[in-house]
Structures are given as C-alpha cells and as structure tokens.
Amino acid sequence: MKAGEKRRILIVEDDPHIAEGLKLNLKFQGHEAAIAGNGTEGLRMWKTWNPDLIVLDIMLPALDGMSVLRHIRLHDERLPVLILSAKGAPDDRIQAFSCGVDDYLAKPFNLAEFLLRVERLLTRSRWNHETSAAGALEPTALQRYVFGGNTLDFTTMTAETRHGIIHLTEQEVKLLRLFIEHRGKPLARKTLLEVGWGYTGVTATRTVDIFLVRLRKYFEEDPQNPVFFRSIRSVGYLFDHP
Amino acid sequence: MKAGEKRRILIVEDDPHIAEGLKLNLKFQGHEAAIAGNGTEGLRMWKTWNPDLIVLDIMLPALDGMSVLRHIRLHDERLPVLILSAKGAPDDRIQAFSCGVDDYLAKPFNLAEFLLRVERLLTRSRWNHETSAAGALEPTALQRYVFGGNTLDFTTMTAETRHGIIHLTEQEVKLLRLFIEHRGKPLARKTLLEVGWGYTGVTATRTVDIFLVRLRKYFEEDPQNPVFFRSIRSVGYLFDHP
DNA sequence: CGTATTTTTACAATACTTTTACAATCGAAC
DNA sequence: GTTCGATTGTAAAAGTATTGTAAAAATACG
C-alpha cells in the first residue's frame, strides 16, 4: 500500500523468531516497527513510543496480552490492536472482542493476510485522524505554513519566497488558506468563488485565474510549469507539495 | 451493546436459513437489518436503502460477492463490509482484503464472535462520522486503483505507470471508472459512448478507439499486445486483470 | 485625490477532443 | 490457403473549449 505515510507498529510477542519476522515484513511495507518481548515491556513502550497500531500476542510472559489490552483500552479507546493467538478457542476470541480488539488472527496465520489486515486497520485509523485533524485547526488557527522554499506568515500577512519577502493581500491570504486546507484535493473554480468570495449561483468571471497567476509568480520556481498550484483542466486547481 | 444508536445492516446472503438467523440476531442487538438474496439485489438495496454496514456472502447467485464489493468500493470507499465465506482459502481472503474488505469470517462461524465483530465495525465507522460531521460528508468514492504495475489516483487525476507519472484528463478518468466498474465484462462502443459521453442514437465515430489507444500507451507494457484493455472484435472492449 | 487592490476585458496559448485518412488485422467464405 | 469485406489500430490534422496573462477599468480606502 502506497500513500500511507510511515506508521509506527508495536509488536508485543515473546517468540523472537516470529517477532523479528513480522518486524522485517512491516518495515518492508514502509513502516517503523518495534518489538516488546513481554507484557510489561509492551506497556512501557506503548507509553513512551506512541505507536499507531499494536500487534499483540495473547500468551505472554510477565503479563498476558489480555491484561495489556485492558490496560491500554483504559487510556486509549481507539488505538488499533490486532491480536495474535496460538489457541483459537471461540471463548478467547469473544473475550478479546468484547475488550475492544480490532482484529484477531489465530496462529499459524498467513503472512500476506496479516499484512493486509494491518494496512486495513491503519487506513481506517488514518481516516479517523484526518477528519478530526481538519476540525481541530480552525480556519483562523494556522499561523505559519511552509512549502517548497516558501514560508507563509499569516499573522503578518507576509511571505518569504525565492524573490524575497512579499506582502500578501487579504484575498490572497484567503485563497492560500483554502488551498492549504484542501491540499491534495482539487478545487473547482466555482467552489473557490463561493467559499473565498461569497459568490453564489452562476458566475463567468476570471478572477480566480488571475489570482492563480499571482500565486504562481510568487511561489513557483517556474510559473509556466507550476508544481504547487496545478490546474486540472475542466476541474479546477489543485494545491499540493511533498 | 450500549451507546449504539440503531444502525442499518444489509445482509447479502442466498441461504435464507442463515440470512434470517443473522437478521434476527442483529435485530436483537437493536439494529435494523434487511436481506438481499443475490448480488444484483444486494447492489440495488445498497443504492436505495443506504446501509451502515454490509454483511456479504462470497458465493452468490446472479453476481458474486467479490463483484458486488468492487462495485460498491468504486462509489464508497469507507462503508464497512464484512465478508462471509464457506471456503476459507488464503487466496480468497487475500483478494478480499486487497479489495478493501473490513473483516472476513469463514463459515461456520461463531455467532457471538460475528456479532461482536459487527459491533466493532459499526463503532469504528461511527467514530469516522462523528468527526467528519463538521465537514461535507458525501460517501468518499474510490480514490485509488491498482492494476498491473499501474496506480490510478482519482482525486488528483494522476497515474503512476511504467513511464512515470502522468496526468489524466476528465474523459480518461470517466472511461477508466467505467472500465473498472465493469471489469471482466466486455463493453460495447455504443455503451461507452452513451455512458461516458452522453451520446445517443446512432453514432459512427472513432473517438472511443482513440482513447483506447491512449489508455494502452499509458498502461500496457506492450500496447500492440494489450493485456488489460483487450478488444473483442465486433463486440467492444474488455478491461480485466488478475 | 492618490494609492493599493480587485475585477473585467480581450486576446494568445495551450490542452484536449474529434475527425480524417489510411494501414493493419481478423474472420469467414470459397 | 487465398481472397474479400468488415472491423480495429493509429498518426496527424482540424476543431473546440479551457486556461494564461497583460493591461485597462473599476472599486475600495485612507
């Protein structure tokens, strides 16, 4: 799976053989992975390392997986947890699910299936964060933003670009905010006009385009071949950057 | 299960015995449940009834579960789907997960486990909605699609192919969606024109063919011997891949 | 007023689509 | 096999719609 930025996965598993195998494969998928050899160490690492997902063996020395899970759920209701278990007894599974487990795999399991289940859980949890993150940063909250070699300062309404420091106008700032908020998603001219200008209904104005020309002049290395402010014919404009 | 408002669950299952059993139990949990006896009916009810979760049998008359799933994922990437399957072959499971399934249960399954897994999926999806409630919440259509060595990104209208990253046009995207939706089934030129272009009546235009040439240039290893976009003489074109 | 900013205008440049024209291929009849 | 007709492949030209952009006009603001 691409597009998934690197996520942190904590493997709580006492069999070093299995643990290392999983770690290797998860790293191969582009994630960070760490191993805890028993329950208490698992809890310690959960607190300090702040993982995005936990792969948890049920049978563990020192502190069994179920206890670890219950402890974690006390503090974080949503952290994805995938259980590995040698015995696939229905009762164990049911107990696990009622403790808020996200997935349960009986050993021996198919590696490809394991990896796909992990990706699925990560994707779901990313959806969770992405939406709540958008709500968290109120339109006015953002103060600085950096992309390419450019730095925007919304408090002073200035920008540091390859051409030096420039002063941004009110409308330019509005547009930039809109683009930043929707980074990676194309915005239709109509949307831009409605949200950024308060226009309504049919509009046949080129205002948006003119502003795009300006933004490109400010921030693009080669305004003729824009990288950050791309136009998508018959759709609108798309702002994105690495 | 507490705190769960009533949710709608669509059961797509041809065995009336199993279907009724599940429906009864889900109702007992406080949910609404409806049954579709085959794939096409499942799709119809998905469109009209707007369920919160789908329980999908793989083996179905009329239209198999996998096709139903792929069709749904084209329009709604996030709707929770739980697969039921008689055969638990690893390959089936893996195929299902890469098609975006959320959970996979092999028959015969434990009823309590099934119910708990359902609740888990519903809870997770509720978390999703609760946060996104602030923003616009149309169902999120499929954003990426992978076949052969190619990755399509429908939001940014780009594709990663063996020739690098290319920008897709609106019409190309429309066509690709059509093909993906009907993967494995041949599409007549006429159909393509009507659905993709809105043409009507008799048409003697070669437009479709020209687009096919382009798609092949983009995505085929050897455009002269297409594997993904095959033409079927006197019928039309057929898109398929492993 | 004078200045800064936004919007309109008008035309050029470009991207995309469709047509045209011809070559290649396939399938069936002989 | 060979031949013939219909279908498909494809380059290149022609057509169309969208976008880029300079410069003028309008608007806001002190």
Side-chain angles (χ1 to χ4, degrees):
Chain A
M1 191 162 269
K2 262 254 111 115
E5 321 86 71
K6 186 182 260 192
R7 312 300 291 274
R8 295 179 157 193
I9 299 167
L10 176 59
I11 303 162
V12 188
E13 161 73 62
D14 62 324
D15 182 338
H17 198 253
I18 296 181
E20 283 297 341
L22 295 182
K23 182 177 171 183
L24 201 71
N25 276 286
L26 289 170
K27 285 201 163 178
F28 197 67
Q29 298 276 314
H31 300 295
E32 274 185 82
I35 297 174
N38 61 55
T40 40
E41 201 191 329
L43 274 183
R44 196 175 49 71
M45 292 196 65
W46 162 64
K47 280 182 204 147
T48 55
W49 195 53
N50 201 33
D52 296 301
L53 180 146
I54 294 184
V55 176
L56 184 60
D57 190 4
I58 280 286
M59 303 278 280
L60 283 172
L63 187 67
D64 77 294
M66 229 46 222
S67 308
V68 174
L69 174 59
R70 275 194 289 264
H71 194 113
I72 291 176
R73 277 286 174 262
L74 233 49
H75 298 270
D76 187 345
E77 197 188 6
R78 306 194 178 188
L79 178 68
V81 173
L82 188 155
I83 293 279
L84 295 180
S85 163
K87 42 175 187 169
D91 281 354
D92 291 336
R93 305 165 82 103
I94 286 161
Q95 199 206 351
F97 275 109
S98 42
C99 282
V101 127
D102 290 275
D103 211 342
Y104 191 107
L105 232 53
K107 294 185 200 172
F109 52 86
N110 180 296
L111 181 63
E113 186 183 345
F114 167 79
L115 292 173
L116 282 164
R117 280 185 189 261
V118 164
E119 288 304 333
R120 192 73 197 151
L121 289 176
L122 288 175
T123 305
R124 285 254 168 219
S125 93
R126 182 159 42 227
W127 287 344
N128 254 302
H129 285 104
E130 129 200 340
T131 40
S132 61
L137 65 107
E138 306 285 311
T140 48
L142 190 61
Q143 300 194 342
R144 326 187 98 244
Y145 192 83
V146 182
F147 70 96
N150 308 295
T151 307
L152 307 178
D153 188 330
F154 289 116
T155 55
T156 61
M157 306 217 344
T158 55
E160 214 180 316
T161 73
R162 68 196 75 251
H163 311 114
I165 291 173
I166 57 168
H167 184 83
L168 297 170
T169 71
E170 200 182 342
Q171 208 59 237
E172 286 165 353
V173 167
K174 246 191 211 167
L175 248 195
L176 283 169
R177 279 185 190 279
L178 249 176
F179 273 120
I180 291 166
E181 197 171 342
H182 295 241
R183 163 182 169 192
K185 299 196 186 307
L187 285 168
R189 261 162 257 268
K190 220 185 103 199
T191 313
L192 292 169
L193 273 169
E194 283 172 2
V195 183
W197 275 263
Y199 276 42
T200 157
V202 248
T203 40
T205 173
R206 307 295 312 282
T207 312
V208 178
D209 305 69
I210 271 70
F211 272 87
L212 261 289
V213 172
R214 282 235 289 284
L215 293 185
R216 282 172 180 163
K217 265 194 198 136
Y218 293 161
F219 303 117
E220 297 279 358
E221 184 145 9
D222 175 8
Q224 251 80 22
N225 294 70
V227 192
F228 306 126
F229 298 92
R230 262 181 49 213
S231 60
I232 300 181
R233 180 162 265 251
S234 79
V235 177
Y237 292 99
L238 166 68
F239 170 73
D240 207 355
H241 65 95
Chain B
M1 213 77 326
K2 52 87 213 262
E5 321 89 70
K6 188 182 258 193
R7 314 297 293 273
R8 296 179 156 193
I9 299 167
L10 176 60
I11 304 161
V12 188
E13 161 72 64
D14 62 325
D15 182 338
H17 197 252
I18 296 181
E20 284 296 341
L22 294 181
K23 181 177 171 183
L24 201 73
N25 276 284
L26 289 170
K27 284 200 163 179
F28 197 67
Q29 297 277 315
H31 300 296
E32 273 185 83
I35 297 173
N38 61 56
T40 38
E41 201 191 329
L43 274 183
R44 197 175 48 72
M45 293 196 63
W46 160 65
K47 280 182 204 146
T48 56
W49 195 54
N50 202 32
D52 298 302
L53 180 145
I54 294 185
V55 177
L56 184 61
D57 189 5
I58 281 285
M59 302 278 278
L60 283 173
L63 187 66
D64 75 294
M66 227 48 221
S67 307
V68 174
L69 174 60
R70 275 196 293 261
H71 196 113
I72 291 175
R73 279 284 175 263
L74 220 54
H75 299 273
D76 188 344
E77 200 186 6
R78 305 193 179 187
L79 179 68
V81 173
L82 188 155
I83 292 278
L84 296 180
S85 163
K87 43 178 186 166
D91 280 355
D92 292 333
R93 306 165 81 102
I94 285 161
Q95 199 206 352
F97 276 108
S98 43
C99 282
V101 127
D102 291 274
D103 210 343
Y104 191 108
L105 231 52
K107 293 185 201 172
F109 51 86
N110 180 294
L111 181 63
E113 184 181 348
F114 167 79
L115 293 173
L116 283 164
R117 280 185 190 260
V118 165
E119 288 305 330
R120 191 75 196 150
L121 288 177
L122 287 175
T123 306
R124 285 253 167 221
S125 95
R126 185 159 38 226
W127 288 345
N128 251 303
H129 283 100
E130 111 201 352
T131 41
S132 70
L137 70 154
E138 335 82 69
T140 43
L142 182 65
Q143 300 186 352
R144 27 185 54 240
Y145 190 83
V146 183
F147 69 97
N150 308 296
T151 306
L152 307 179
D153 187 329
F154 289 118
T155 54
T156 62
M157 307 204 9
T158 54
E160 219 179 313
T161 72
R162 68 196 75 251
H163 312 114
I165 289 171
I166 55 169
H167 296 316
L168 299 168
T169 71
E170 205 186 14
Q171 208 60 237
E172 286 164 354
V173 167
K174 244 191 213 168
L175 249 195
L176 283 168
R177 276 188 190 277
L178 250 176
F179 273 120
I180 291 167
E181 197 165 342
H182 295 133
R183 163 182 169 192
K185 304 203 184 301
L187 284 168
R189 259 163 261 268
K190 221 186 104 199
T191 315
L192 292 169
L193 274 170
E194 283 172 3
V195 183
W197 274 262
Y199 276 41
T200 155
V202 244
T203 41
T205 173
R206 307 295 313 282
T207 311
V208 178
D209 305 71
I210 269 69
F211 271 87
L212 261 290
V213 173
R214 281 235 290 283
L215 293 185
R216 283 171 179 163
K217 263 195 200 135
Y218 292 161
F219 303 118
E220 297 280 357
E221 185 145 8
D222 175 9
Q224 252 81 21
N225 293 71
V227 186
F228 306 126
F229 298 92
R230 297 219 316 272
S231 58
I232 301 179
R233 181 161 262 255
S234 78
V235 177
Y237 291 99
L238 166 68
F239 169 73
D240 208 353
H241 66 94

